[in-house]
Amino acid sequence: MKFSEVEEASWPELQPYLDTCLIPYTGLTGKENPMQATAALERLRDFMDLAEVPFKGRMITYPAFQYGLQQDLSLLNEICKHVKETGFKHVVVMSADCILRREELPAVDLILSRQDMNELEGRELASRVQAQIQNLWNPAYLT
């Protein structure tokens, strides 16, 4: 579910069920021409569909963090920390083109990077993404 689909009046009722926030990370540098930027956004959209579609009603997608040179991810980490402070139990960051590491984003509960799963396609890729999200929700999940 997209953040813009939530109505203010229904938020208190939905909040207990929407306990996971998904933050897309594009990682644009500003050096992309329009076609390259469009392709990057399409890759991220397709990757995010693997989480958004099967888990609609359990996670809410926030606006994408579009730009970042990956040398300093402190702003993204701070945003994730703030999102948790608003009441989300879990924060998931997804990126199609960037490799993000746990030590760079300690406030994030799960990082899903398409680059870390390059060997997978189709159903295998979808199964891996869904399994990692389900593991996040499992009480025995260790961070």
Side-chain angles (χ1 to χ4, degrees), residues 33-103:
N33 66 39
M35 290 68 58
Q36 292 168 324
T38 298
L41 291 169
E42 289 172 349
R43 284 189 300 275
L44 182 56
R45 176 205 59 209
D46 293 347
F47 187 50
M48 287 174 42
D49 279 350
L50 301 177
E52 287 181 309
V53 173
F55 298 119
K56 187 173 183 167
R58 179 73 194 263
M59 59 176 27
I60 188 164
T61 303
Y62 264 41
F65 196 91
Q66 301 290 12
Y67 291 91
L69 301 177
Q70 284 194 261
Q71 288 91 348
D72 183 6
L73 294 171
S74 59
L75 180 58
L76 177 58
N77 190 65
E78 192 70 18
I79 290 168
C80 294
K81 198 162 75 174
H82 290 184
V83 166
K84 280 185 157 183
E85 291 169 359
T86 69
F88 285 99
K89 185 175 180 182
H90 307 288
V91 176
V92 176
V93 172
M94 289 185 78
S95 180
D97 294 331
C98 299
I99 295 175
L100 304 171
R101 298 290 170 228
R102 185 92 176 103
E103 56 273 4

Side-chain angles (χ1 to χ4, degrees), residues 16-36:
Y17 303 103
L18 294 169
D19 67 349
T20 304
C21 179
L22 173 62
I23 299 179
Y25 179 75
T26 312
L28 297 175
T29 65
K31 294 180 180 180
E32 300 83 6
N33 66 39
M35 290 68 58
Q36 292 168 324

